[in-house]
Amino acid sequence: AEFPKHHYSSLRKQCKRSFISNQTQSMEFSNIGKHCSMQDCRQLDFLPFNCDGCRATFCLDHRTYVAHKCAVGSSKQEKKLTICPLCAEVVTVLDDQDPNVMVDKHISGGCKSEQKERLKKNRCMHKKCRKSELIPFQCKGCSKQYCVSHRIPQDHECVSLIKPSPVV
């Protein structure tokens, strides 16, 4: 069972082609991702994290200051976020600051709660609609405010349209 010589040459060519195509496929993705900067890890990560302290690149497991023992990042102050109860804006609080004092400072210095209150005043009164209009439409029949879509009495089921049944 000997193969003719032309079979061997065609087999060699096929093997060569598949080897070259495998090499080019593996080289196509060689520039994607970065290796973790931890010496004992060096994992190739396609979504690497850059430390804002030491500027090194890390994998998911070593992204925190503590995990990669960052000297620069661990000296930074940790920030906490608190939400203003009036305007729902985020207030930044550092480790050495009292959250209540910072929220009070935010409220006295420029809290936008008055603007939100003004928006609530101009909100559509239809059951399922909560649009806010700059200039709301006030219904003459029920004296409620509505948006452009519900300004017509038939659109908001106005009580003035409901006729009382005659008493017999």
Side-chain angles (χ1 to χ4, degrees), residues 93-107:
V93 181
L94 298 176
D95 266 345
D96 59 341
Q97 295 174 330
D98 181 29
N100 294 326
V101 172
M102 294 309 292
V103 171
D104 286 341
K105 191 181 283 187
H106 162 76
I107 290 170

Side-chain angles (χ1 to χ4, degrees), residues 41-153:
C41 180
R42 304 295 298 159
Q43 175 184 353
L44 179 63
D45 199 335
F46 295 106
L47 295 171
F49 294 89
N50 293 323
C51 177
D52 61 346
C54 62
R55 305 280 183 226
T57 304
F58 297 100
C59 65
L60 180 67
D61 297 332
H62 299 109
R63 73 182 190 279
T64 61
Y65 297 141
V66 176
H68 70 267
K69 299 177 182 103
C70 183
V72 179
S74 60
S75 65
K76 287 185 174 185
Q77 282 188 326
E78 290 292 318
K79 293 179 182 177
K80 295 176 187 167
L81 302 176
T82 305
I83 297 174
C84 174
L86 300 176
C87 69
E89 193 172 313
V90 176
V91 180
T92 306
V93 181
L94 298 176
D95 266 345
D96 59 341
Q97 295 174 330
D98 181 29
N100 294 326
V101 172
M102 294 309 292
V103 171
D104 286 341
K105 191 181 283 187
H106 162 76
I107 290 170
S108 62
C111 181
K112 297 175 184 147
S113 61
E114 291 175 15
Q115 291 176 355
K116 290 211 175 204
E117 196 61 40
R118 199 176 321 134
L119 281 174
K120 286 180 184 174
K121 289 179 185 174
N122 295 339
R123 199 169 264 177
C124 180
M125 300 296 285
H126 190 265
K127 295 173 193 169
K128 295 180 181 176
C129 180
R130 290 292 164 224
K131 288 183 185 174
S132 294
E133 296 289 338
L134 189 61
I135 301 170
F137 295 90
Q138 189 162 6
C139 178
K140 293 177 183 171
C142 60
S143 300
K144 291 182 180 178
Q145 295 179 353
Y146 294 98
C147 67
V148 176
S149 305
H150 300 110
R151 70 184 187 276
I152 301 170

